[in-house]
Amino acid sequence: MITVAITCYNEENYIEDCLRSVLAFTKPEGEDVEFLVVDGMSQDNTRSIVKGLQADFPEIHLIDNPKRYQVHGINLAIDMARGKYLAWLGAHAVYPVDYLTILYQTSRRSDAENVGGILNTLPGSDSYSGHLVQAISTHRFGVGSSGFRVGQRKEKYADTVPFGFFKLDTLKEIGKFDERLVRCQDYELNKRIIKNGGKILVNPVVQVEYFNQPSMGKYLKKQILIQGPYNPYAWYIAPHSFNFRHAVSAVFTGSIIIAIVLSFFFAWAKILLFSVMGLYLSLALISSIQQAIRYKKPADVLILPFGFLAFHLSHGLGVLLGIAKLALGAAPVQKTER
Protein backbone atom coordinates (compact mmCIF):
# COMPACT_ATOMS: atom_id res chain seq x y z
CA MET A 1 0.00 0.00 0.00
CA ILE A 2 0.97 3.62 -0.63
CA THR A 3 -0.11 6.29 1.84
CA VAL A 4 -0.83 9.72 0.35
CA ALA A 5 -0.88 12.41 3.05
CA ILE A 6 -1.95 16.02 2.47
CA THR A 7 -1.27 18.45 5.30
CA CYS A 8 -3.30 21.64 5.30
CA TYR A 9 -4.55 24.63 7.28
CA ASN A 10 -7.01 27.23 5.98
CA GLU A 11 -6.72 26.14 2.35
CA GLU A 12 -10.29 26.73 1.16
CA ASN A 13 -9.01 28.31 -2.07
CA TYR A 14 -6.87 25.32 -3.03
CA ILE A 15 -7.94 22.12 -1.27
CA GLU A 16 -10.68 20.99 -3.67
CA ASP A 17 -8.58 21.29 -6.84
CA CYS A 18 -5.69 19.64 -5.01
CA LEU A 19 -7.77 16.73 -3.77
CA ARG A 20 -9.50 16.15 -7.08
CA SER A 21 -6.13 15.92 -8.81
CA VAL A 22 -4.88 13.50 -6.17
CA LEU A 23 -8.00 11.31 -6.34
CA ALA A 24 -7.48 11.04 -10.11
CA PHE A 25 -4.05 9.42 -9.68
CA THR A 26 -3.46 6.26 -11.64
CA LYS A 27 -2.51 3.59 -9.14
CA PRO A 28 0.73 1.66 -9.56
CA GLU A 29 -0.01 -1.90 -10.58
CA GLY A 30 -0.48 -4.18 -7.59
CA GLU A 31 -0.59 -1.34 -5.05
CA ASP A 32 -3.51 -0.04 -2.99
CA VAL A 33 -3.61 3.65 -2.04
CA GLU A 34 -4.98 5.36 1.07
CA PHE A 35 -5.60 9.11 1.28
CA LEU A 36 -5.10 11.03 4.51
CA VAL A 37 -6.02 14.72 4.76
CA VAL A 38 -4.39 15.99 7.95
CA ASP A 39 -5.99 19.31 8.81
CA GLY A 40 -4.68 21.75 11.41
CA MET A 41 -8.22 22.56 12.63
CA SER A 42 -8.86 25.06 9.82
CA GLN A 43 -10.97 28.11 10.64
CA ASP A 44 -12.21 28.64 7.07
CA ASN A 45 -14.21 26.27 4.82
CA THR A 46 -11.41 23.76 4.29
CA ARG A 47 -12.92 21.07 6.50
CA SER A 48 -16.41 21.40 5.04
CA ILE A 49 -14.99 21.11 1.52
CA VAL A 50 -13.10 17.94 2.46
CA LYS A 51 -16.19 16.48 4.16
CA GLY A 52 -18.24 17.30 1.06
CA LEU A 53 -15.80 15.37 -1.10
CA GLN A 54 -15.90 12.43 1.32
CA ALA A 55 -19.50 11.82 0.30
CA ASP A 56 -18.33 10.91 -3.21
CA PHE A 57 -14.89 9.62 -2.27
CA PRO A 58 -15.10 7.58 0.97
CA GLU A 59 -11.41 6.66 0.60
CA ILE A 60 -10.58 10.15 1.93
CA HIS A 61 -9.78 10.10 5.65
CA LEU A 62 -9.90 13.47 7.45
CA ILE A 63 -7.44 13.55 10.36
CA ASP A 64 -7.40 16.25 13.05
CA ASN A 65 -4.08 17.96 13.75
CA PRO A 66 -4.71 20.02 16.91
CA LYS A 67 -1.12 21.35 16.90
CA ARG A 68 -1.87 23.00 13.51
CA TYR A 69 1.61 23.03 11.96
CA GLN A 70 2.31 20.76 9.01
CA VAL A 71 5.29 19.12 10.72
CA HIS A 72 2.95 17.78 13.40
CA GLY A 73 0.48 16.77 10.74
CA ILE A 74 2.93 14.75 8.68
CA ASN A 75 4.19 12.97 11.79
CA LEU A 76 0.59 12.03 12.60
CA ALA A 77 0.30 10.65 9.08
CA ILE A 78 3.50 8.63 9.50
CA ASP A 79 2.13 7.09 12.70
CA MET A 80 -1.17 6.20 11.00
CA ALA A 81 0.20 5.14 7.61
CA ARG A 82 -0.43 1.56 6.58
CA GLY A 83 1.64 1.79 3.43
CA LYS A 84 5.17 0.79 2.54
CA TYR A 85 5.60 4.22 0.95
CA LEU A 86 4.49 7.68 2.05
CA ALA A 87 3.82 10.54 -0.35
CA TRP A 88 3.67 13.87 1.50
CA LEU A 89 1.79 16.44 -0.56
CA GLY A 90 0.98 20.11 -0.06
CA ALA A 91 -2.45 21.63 -0.60
CA HIS A 92 -1.09 24.61 -2.60
CA ALA A 93 -0.56 22.41 -5.64
CA VAL A 94 -2.26 20.44 -8.40
CA TYR A 95 -0.71 17.12 -9.38
CA PRO A 96 -0.55 15.28 -12.72
CA VAL A 97 -2.51 12.06 -13.05
CA ASP A 98 0.64 9.91 -13.39
CA TYR A 99 2.39 11.58 -10.42
CA LEU A 100 2.14 8.65 -8.05
CA THR A 101 2.96 5.99 -10.64
CA ILE A 102 6.11 7.70 -11.90
CA LEU A 103 7.46 8.38 -8.38
CA TYR A 104 6.70 4.79 -7.34
CA GLN A 105 8.53 3.44 -10.39
CA THR A 106 11.41 5.87 -9.82
CA SER A 107 11.72 4.75 -6.20
CA ARG A 108 11.71 1.06 -7.14
CA ARG A 109 14.20 1.58 -9.97
CA SER A 110 16.65 3.81 -8.10
CA ASP A 111 16.18 2.42 -4.59
CA ALA A 112 16.40 6.03 -3.36
CA GLU A 113 14.99 6.70 0.08
CA ASN A 114 13.08 9.76 -1.15
CA VAL A 115 12.15 10.85 -4.66
CA GLY A 116 10.32 13.88 -6.02
CA GLY A 117 9.69 15.99 -9.08
CA ILE A 118 10.01 19.66 -9.94
CA LEU A 119 7.72 22.62 -9.31
CA ASN A 120 6.04 24.56 -12.07
CA THR A 121 5.51 27.65 -9.93
CA LEU A 122 2.40 29.66 -10.71
CA PRO A 123 1.29 33.04 -9.31
CA GLY A 124 -0.96 32.85 -6.26
CA SER A 125 -3.12 35.68 -7.64
CA ASP A 126 -3.83 37.50 -10.89
CA SER A 127 -2.11 40.66 -9.66
CA TYR A 128 1.24 41.93 -10.87
CA SER A 129 2.47 41.50 -7.29
CA GLY A 130 1.64 37.80 -7.52
CA HIS A 131 3.56 37.59 -10.79
CA LEU A 132 6.63 39.18 -9.16
CA VAL A 133 6.68 36.37 -6.59
CA GLN A 134 6.55 33.85 -9.43
CA ALA A 135 9.34 35.58 -11.36
CA ILE A 136 11.64 35.78 -8.32
CA SER A 137 11.10 32.17 -7.26
CA THR A 138 11.72 30.67 -10.71
CA HIS A 139 15.12 32.18 -11.51
CA ARG A 140 18.53 31.10 -10.26
CA PHE A 141 19.39 34.68 -9.35
CA GLY A 142 16.44 34.58 -6.99
CA VAL A 143 16.62 31.10 -5.42
CA GLY A 144 20.11 29.91 -6.32
CA SER A 145 20.89 26.29 -7.17
CA SER A 146 17.52 24.90 -6.10
CA GLY A 147 17.09 22.85 -9.27
CA PHE A 148 13.55 21.65 -8.67
CA ARG A 149 12.39 25.30 -8.55
CA VAL A 150 14.09 26.56 -11.69
CA GLY A 151 13.38 23.83 -14.22
CA GLN A 152 15.97 21.09 -13.72
CA ARG A 153 16.05 18.97 -16.89
CA LYS A 154 17.97 15.83 -15.94
CA GLU A 155 17.30 13.22 -13.29
CA LYS A 156 19.90 13.57 -10.57
CA TYR A 157 20.55 13.19 -6.86
CA ALA A 158 19.92 16.28 -4.74
CA ASP A 159 19.83 17.48 -1.15
CA THR A 160 16.04 17.87 -1.10
CA VAL A 161 12.89 17.45 -3.18
CA PRO A 162 9.42 18.97 -2.94
CA PHE A 163 6.54 16.76 -1.80
CA GLY A 164 8.68 13.72 -1.08
CA PHE A 165 7.81 10.09 -1.85
CA PHE A 166 9.48 8.31 1.06
CA LYS A 167 10.17 4.74 2.00
CA LEU A 168 8.26 4.44 5.25
CA ASP A 169 10.86 2.09 6.73
CA THR A 170 13.46 4.85 6.32
CA LEU A 171 11.40 7.23 8.44
CA LYS A 172 11.02 4.58 11.12
CA GLU A 173 14.77 3.91 11.13
CA ILE A 174 16.16 7.46 11.24
CA GLY A 175 13.26 9.16 12.98
CA LYS A 176 10.34 11.31 11.90
CA PHE A 177 10.35 15.03 11.12
CA ASP A 178 11.80 17.20 13.88
CA GLU A 179 8.80 18.96 15.40
CA ARG A 180 10.94 21.82 16.68
CA LEU A 181 11.11 22.99 13.07
CA VAL A 182 7.83 24.40 11.79
CA ARG A 183 9.80 25.37 8.66
CA CYS A 184 12.80 23.69 6.98
CA GLN A 185 11.74 20.37 8.54
CA ASP A 186 11.76 18.60 5.17
CA TYR A 187 15.23 19.88 4.30
CA GLU A 188 16.60 18.77 7.67
CA LEU A 189 15.12 15.28 7.25
CA ASN A 190 16.45 14.91 3.73
CA LYS A 191 19.92 15.91 4.89
CA ARG A 192 19.57 13.42 7.75
CA ILE A 193 18.76 10.71 5.22
CA ILE A 194 21.90 11.59 3.24
CA LYS A 195 23.96 11.70 6.45
CA ASN A 196 22.85 8.13 7.13
CA GLY A 197 23.88 6.92 3.67
CA GLY A 198 20.56 7.38 1.87
CA LYS A 199 19.78 9.01 -1.47
CA ILE A 200 17.42 11.78 -2.56
CA LEU A 201 16.49 11.79 -6.24
CA VAL A 202 14.78 14.39 -8.45
CA ASN A 203 12.92 13.11 -11.51
CA PRO A 204 12.07 16.13 -13.73
CA VAL A 205 9.50 14.11 -15.68
CA VAL A 206 7.20 14.75 -12.72
CA GLN A 207 6.01 18.36 -12.79
CA VAL A 208 3.69 19.78 -10.14
CA GLU A 209 1.70 23.00 -10.53
CA TYR A 210 2.48 24.94 -7.36
CA PHE A 211 0.80 28.21 -6.35
CA ASN A 212 3.13 30.58 -4.52
CA GLN A 213 2.26 33.50 -2.23
CA PRO A 214 -0.40 35.84 -3.73
CA SER A 215 1.50 39.08 -3.12
CA MET A 216 4.99 40.46 -2.56
CA GLY A 217 3.94 41.74 0.85
CA LYS A 218 3.03 38.27 2.11
CA TYR A 219 6.07 36.74 0.42
CA LEU A 220 8.51 39.18 2.02
CA LYS A 221 6.82 38.92 5.42
CA LYS A 222 7.24 35.15 5.27
CA GLN A 223 10.96 35.54 4.52
CA ILE A 224 11.58 37.87 7.46
CA LEU A 225 9.44 36.20 10.10
CA ILE A 226 9.43 32.50 9.22
CA GLN A 227 11.49 31.20 6.31
CA GLY A 228 14.63 33.20 7.05
CA PRO A 229 14.85 32.61 10.83
CA TYR A 230 14.23 28.88 10.58
CA ASN A 231 17.35 28.36 8.50
CA PRO A 232 19.70 29.13 11.43
CA TYR A 233 17.29 27.37 13.80
CA ALA A 234 17.79 24.23 11.70
CA TRP A 235 21.57 24.71 11.68
CA TYR A 236 21.50 25.05 15.45
CA ILE A 237 19.69 21.80 16.19
CA ALA A 238 20.99 19.89 13.15
CA PRO A 239 24.36 21.15 11.84
CA HIS A 240 24.17 18.63 8.99
CA SER A 241 21.36 20.76 7.49
CA PHE A 242 23.64 23.72 6.72
CA ASN A 243 23.87 24.80 3.10
CA PHE A 244 25.58 28.01 2.01
CA ARG A 245 22.83 28.85 -0.46
CA HIS A 246 20.54 29.40 2.54
CA ALA A 247 23.11 31.69 4.19
CA VAL A 248 24.29 33.79 1.25
CA SER A 249 21.43 36.28 1.62
CA ALA A 250 22.48 36.93 5.23
CA VAL A 251 26.10 37.47 4.16
CA PHE A 252 24.91 39.90 1.48
CA THR A 253 22.52 41.77 3.78
CA GLY A 254 24.99 41.94 6.65
CA SER A 255 27.73 43.21 4.35
CA ILE A 256 25.48 45.94 2.97
CA ILE A 257 24.51 47.09 6.47
CA ILE A 258 28.15 47.18 7.61
CA ALA A 259 29.26 48.97 4.43
CA ILE A 260 26.56 51.63 4.87
CA VAL A 261 27.68 52.32 8.43
CA LEU A 262 31.39 52.42 7.49
CA SER A 263 30.70 54.65 4.49
CA PHE A 264 29.99 57.53 6.91
CA PHE A 265 33.58 57.28 8.15
CA PHE A 266 35.68 55.85 5.31
CA ALA A 267 35.74 56.76 1.63
CA TRP A 268 36.84 53.26 0.64
CA ALA A 269 33.71 51.81 2.25
CA LYS A 270 31.53 54.10 0.16
CA ILE A 271 33.35 53.03 -3.01
CA LEU A 272 32.99 49.37 -2.03
CA LEU A 273 29.29 49.81 -1.30
CA PHE A 274 28.55 51.43 -4.65
CA SER A 275 30.66 48.82 -6.47
CA VAL A 276 28.85 45.89 -4.85
CA MET A 277 25.42 47.40 -5.40
CA GLY A 278 26.31 48.29 -8.98
CA LEU A 279 27.34 44.69 -9.68
CA TYR A 280 24.26 43.34 -7.91
CA LEU A 281 21.82 45.56 -9.81
CA SER A 282 23.54 44.72 -13.10
CA LEU A 283 23.02 41.01 -12.48
CA ALA A 284 19.46 41.69 -11.29
CA LEU A 285 18.75 43.67 -14.47
CA ILE A 286 20.03 40.87 -16.72
CA SER A 287 17.92 38.34 -14.79
CA SER A 288 14.90 40.64 -14.98
CA ILE A 289 15.21 40.99 -18.74
CA GLN A 290 15.28 37.19 -19.03
CA GLN A 291 12.13 36.88 -16.90
CA ALA A 292 10.41 39.72 -18.78
CA ILE A 293 10.92 37.77 -22.00
CA ARG A 294 9.93 34.46 -20.39
CA TYR A 295 6.67 35.76 -18.93
CA LYS A 296 6.03 38.50 -21.52
CA LYS A 297 5.92 41.20 -18.87
CA PRO A 298 7.85 44.28 -20.09
CA ALA A 299 7.41 46.01 -16.72
CA ASP A 300 9.73 43.39 -15.18
CA VAL A 301 12.73 45.14 -16.73
CA LEU A 302 12.20 48.16 -14.47
CA ILE A 303 10.49 46.65 -11.42
CA LEU A 304 11.85 43.13 -10.98
CA PRO A 305 15.45 44.19 -10.11
CA PHE A 306 14.07 45.87 -7.00
CA GLY A 307 11.88 42.82 -6.36
CA PHE A 308 14.99 40.63 -6.32
CA LEU A 309 16.68 43.10 -3.97
CA ALA A 310 13.68 43.21 -1.63
CA PHE A 311 13.52 39.40 -1.54
CA HIS A 312 17.24 38.92 -0.84
CA LEU A 313 17.31 41.62 1.85
CA SER A 314 14.15 40.27 3.49
CA HIS A 315 15.44 36.70 3.57
CA GLY A 316 18.84 37.93 4.76
CA LEU A 317 17.24 39.97 7.55
CA GLY A 318 15.23 36.91 8.52
CA VAL A 319 18.36 34.77 8.78
CA LEU A 320 20.14 37.47 10.81
CA LEU A 321 17.08 37.77 13.06
CA GLY A 322 17.19 34.03 13.64
CA ILE A 323 20.90 34.15 14.50
CA ALA A 324 20.28 37.05 16.90
CA LYS A 325 17.50 35.15 18.66
CA LEU A 326 19.74 32.10 19.01
CA ALA A 327 22.50 34.28 20.49
CA LEU A 328 20.03 35.69 23.02
CA GLY A 329 18.57 32.30 23.86
CA ALA A 330 15.18 33.47 22.62
CA ALA A 331 14.72 31.18 19.61
CA PRO A 332 11.65 28.92 19.73
CA VAL A 333 13.78 25.83 19.07
CA GLN A 334 15.68 26.56 22.29
CA LYS A 335 12.46 26.45 24.28
CA THR A 336 10.91 23.34 22.76
CA GLU A 337 11.99 19.80 23.45
CA ARG A 338 12.19 17.38 20.54
Side-chain angles (χ1 to χ4, degrees):
M1 179 175 284
I2 298 169
T3 298
V4 175
I6 302 172
T7 53
C8 61
Y9 176 73
N10 287 351
E11 294 289 1
E12 64 180 5
N13 294 327
Y14 299 98
I15 190 64
E16 183 167 356
D17 288 343
C18 171
L19 266 176
R20 289 192 180 278
S21 73
V22 168
L23 291 164
F25 283 163
T26 54
K27 297 179 181 179
E29 186 176 353
E31 296 288 343
D32 290 326
V33 181
E34 62 175 352
F35 300 94
L36 307 180
V37 179
V38 190
D39 177 68
M41 314 309 293
S42 292
Q43 303 300 305
D44 62 2
N45 291 318
T46 298
R47 295 176 68 84
S48 61
I49 292 171
V50 175
K51 289 177 180 178
L53 287 171
Q54 281 182 307
D56 296 323
F57 302 96
E59 60 267 41
I60 299 174
H61 302 281
L62 179 59
I63 312 300
D64 291 343
N65 172 21
K67 293 184 178 180
R68 197 184 82 175
Y69 291 109
Q70 62 179 355
V71 66
H72 303 112
I74 190 57
N75 279 345
L76 282 174
I78 292 170
D79 290 336
M80 300 181 67
R82 295 182 295 147
K84 183 178 179 181
Y85 301 93
L86 174 75
W88 178 18
L89 308 184
H92 257 244
V94 173
Y95 302 85
V97 66
D98 56 359
Y99 178 86
L100 201 62
T101 300
I102 295 178
L103 290 186
Y104 171 80
Q105 293 171 346
T106 303
S107 178
R108 294 289 299 271
R109 168 175 52 80
S110 67
D111 201 34
E113 279 67 26
N114 184 19
V115 298
I118 64 174
L119 298 182
N120 177 20
T121 301
L122 302 174
S125 71
D126 294 331
S127 67
Y128 183 71
S129 182
H131 159 71
L132 283 177
V133 177
Q134 177 193 33
I136 291 167
S137 59
T138 56
H139 196 283
R140 289 187 181 277
F141 186 72
V143 294
S145 60
S146 185
F148 69 83
R149 294 183 185 276
V150 295
Q152 178 179 315
R153 296 183 180 180
K154 295 182 179 180
E155 182 175 292
K156 68 177 183 178
Y157 294 110
D159 56 1
T160 192
V161 291
F163 310 131
F165 185 89
F166 297 88
K167 291 180 180 179
L168 202 58
D169 284 346
T170 297
L171 302 180
K172 293 178 179 178
E173 290 171 6
I174 70 169
K176 296 181 291 185
F177 292 84
D178 193 319
E179 294 189 354
R180 292 172 292 180
L181 298 173
V182 299
R183 288 282 188 235
C184 303
Q185 69 284 122
D186 52 340
Y187 189 78
E188 184 280 322
L189 180 62
N190 282 317
K191 292 287 282 188
R192 199 187 329 151
I193 289 173
I194 295 171
K195 180 183 176 183
N196 284 273
K199 295 175 290 184
I200 313 297
L201 185 68
V202 178
N203 184 345
V205 173
V206 177
Q207 298 192 21
V208 176
E209 292 186 346
Y210 172 74
F211 297 91
N212 214 320
Q213 293 291 325
S215 69
M216 278 294 289
K218 290 186 176 181
Y219 189 52
L220 299 179
K221 180 179 178 181
K222 178 182 176 182
Q223 305 309 314
I224 295 174
L225 300 180
I226 302 175
Q227 197 68 41
Y230 268 89
N231 281 291
Y233 296 166
W235 307 334
Y236 172 78
I237 65 175
H240 59 263
S241 66
F242 178 80
N243 187 308
F244 184 69
R245 80 166 180 261
H246 300 145
V248 67
S249 64
V251 174
F252 172 71
T253 303
S255 299
I256 294 300
I257 293 172
I258 293 171
I260 289 174
V261 173
L262 291 179
S263 66
F264 288 101
F265 305 98
F266 304 102
W268 61 264
K270 187 176 296 185
I271 295 172
L272 179 62
L273 175 62
F274 280 104
S275 298
V276 170
M277 290 307 300
L279 175 61
Y280 176 91
L281 290 175
S282 297
L283 294 173
L285 178 59
I286 293 171
S287 303
S288 298
I289 292 172
Q290 292 171 340
Q291 294 298 72
I293 296 171
R294 176 181 180 181
Y295 293 113
K296 299 177 181 176
K297 298 279 189 180
D300 284 357
V301 176
L302 296 176
I303 298 174
L304 188 53
F306 301 101
F308 280 122
L309 180 61
F311 166 66
H312 289 142
L313 291 177
S314 296
H315 188 273
L317 285 172
V319 175
L320 294 174
L321 177 63
I323 293 172
K325 285 189 174 183
L326 285 170
L328 295 171
V333 296
Q334 294 170 309
K335 304 175 182 179
T336 306
E337 293 183 0
R338 182 180 173 86

